[in-house]
């Protein structure tokens, strides 16, 4: 086991978030939704706009996760009728192999 991720108590309140832990259970990163009041939107809005989540640690920015909106009618139907979503993970170049593996 390389690491794990847990949702903090109350899911981060008005800013949805996750905490990423290394194998020693130390917090190595925090993933937070970006944008204004991200928890008040959702549902059908994710069909129209990309939604970003920043990844950061105490030493600074580590990257971002972006939930992509459907690119065409077919992918929109797949997203509406299944649990499938499309995400992009962008990581900073200066991260160690272990940090990158934990993010995946």
């Amino acid at each position: 086991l390389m690491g794990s991720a847990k949702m903090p108590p109350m899911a981060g309140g008005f800013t949805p978030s996750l905490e990423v832990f290394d194998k020693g259970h130390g917090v190595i990163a925090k993933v937070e939704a970006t944008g204004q009041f991200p928890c008040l939107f959702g549902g059908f809005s994710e069909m129209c706009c990309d939604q970003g989540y920043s990844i950061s640690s105490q030493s600074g920015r580590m990257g971002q996760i972006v939930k992509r909106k459907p690119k065409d009618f077919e992918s929109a139907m797949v997203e509406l009728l299944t649990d499938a979503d499309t995400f992009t993970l962008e990581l900073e170049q200066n991260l160690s192999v272990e940090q990158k593996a934990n993010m995946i």
Side-chain angles (χ1 to χ4, degrees):
L1 180 66
M2 291 283 304
S4 61
K6 293 182 183 176
M7 191 177 298
M10 309 253 325
F14 287 107
T15 304
S17 61
L18 288 173
E19 293 174 335
V20 181
F21 299 87
D22 61 13
K23 62 183 172 185
H25 303 289
V27 176
I28 60 167
K30 190 169 186 177
V31 180
E32 293 184 308
T34 57
Q36 205 172 27
F37 303 109
C39 67
L40 300 179
F41 302 102
F44 201 72
S45 71
E46 64 187 25
M47 300 296 285
C48 305
C49 306
D50 290 344
Q51 296 178 345
Y53 301 87
S54 66
I55 305 170
S56 60
S57 68
Q58 291 181 347
S59 60
R61 185 179 190 280
M62 295 176 72
Q64 71 175 355
I65 299 170
V66 179
K67 192 239 173 251
R68 299 289 178 191
K69 66 181 179 185
K71 63 182 186 288
D72 55 24
F73 181 76
E74 181 181 352
S75 58
M77 289 297 102
V78 168
E79 189 165 321
L80 282 171
L81 301 173
T82 68
D83 289 335
D85 290 319
T86 303
F87 290 88
T88 302
L89 174 62
E90 300 168 358
L91 296 173
E92 297 293 324
Q93 294 292 329
N94 61 345
L95 297 179
S96 70
V97 173
E98 291 82 15
Q99 288 173 315
K100 291 178 182 178
N102 276 325
M103 291 301 116
I104 292 174

